[in-house]
Amino acid sequence: MTNALPPLHNGHAPFTLQQLFREALYAYEEWDDNEVTEPIVMFEGRIVPIREVFEAMRHCTDIVPKNIVEAVTERLTKPWEGEGPLDQMSFSTAARVMSVLVRKRLLANGVADPVAVASKTIERRSRS
């Protein structure tokens, strides 16, 4: 992941990153089945693949607004049960779900999983 996105502060995402997460989710929703490459969003004039936005939010403890929870949970194959007393979802949970969905979609489209490719490359280098 590039350092193009703003960092979390003590587990909290700046508003701009939360907005970018929402844009990435909308881009995922509009991802046409015929498109091979993953959708992108723009941040400060830079092109950012949506998986990078989701990855940047993997450790965010902020609570996701209800409309985003619904957008994420409708893609799950099993009912989602929250960990909190009000079944609230953190951005971390939402980001992890969306990361898996993007990865699955890329693999289904025949695009190599960037995480798997990087892991294999590192593994080969360590053997040398």
Side-chain angles (χ1 to χ4, degrees):
M1 183 177 83
T2 64
N3 292 331
L5 301 177
L8 300 179
H9 300 283
N10 296 321
H12 301 288
F15 182 72
T16 54
L17 191 53
Q18 290 186 18
Q19 274 299 116
L20 198 59
F21 183 93
R22 183 173 281 132
E23 290 175 26
L25 183 60
Y26 293 151
Y28 180 88
E29 289 175 347
E30 295 175 5
W31 192 356
D32 186 356
D33 288 337
N34 298 321
E35 291 180 63
V36 176
T37 58
E38 77 180 277
I40 58 167
V41 291
M42 295 295 292
F43 180 72
E44 295 182 348
R46 293 186 205 116
I47 295 172
V48 181
I50 61 172
R51 76 180 126 74
E52 288 189 20
V53 176
F54 298 139
E55 185 64 32
M57 296 290 278
R58 286 178 63 94
H59 300 288
C60 180
T61 58
D62 296 326
I63 301 300
V64 175
K66 185 178 180 182
N67 63 332
I68 293 180
V69 171
E70 291 169 356
V72 171
T73 57
E74 73 184 21
R75 288 167 175 66
L76 299 176
T77 56
K78 297 179 183 177
W80 180 78
E81 295 179 16
E83 299 171 8
L86 301 175
D87 289 337
Q88 296 176 333
M89 180 185 285
S90 69
F91 272 100
S92 175
T93 300
R96 291 166 194 267
V97 167
M98 294 310 300
S99 291
V100 168
L101 293 175
V102 168
R103 204 171 299 137
K104 281 184 173 182
R105 183 87 174 261
L106 288 171
L107 289 172
N109 289 345
V111 177
D113 180 2
V115 174
V117 171
S119 296
K120 288 179 183 177
T121 302
I122 292 169
E123 186 177 306
R124 274 188 241 134
R125 287 182 185 166
S126 65
R127 289 183 193 165
S128 301

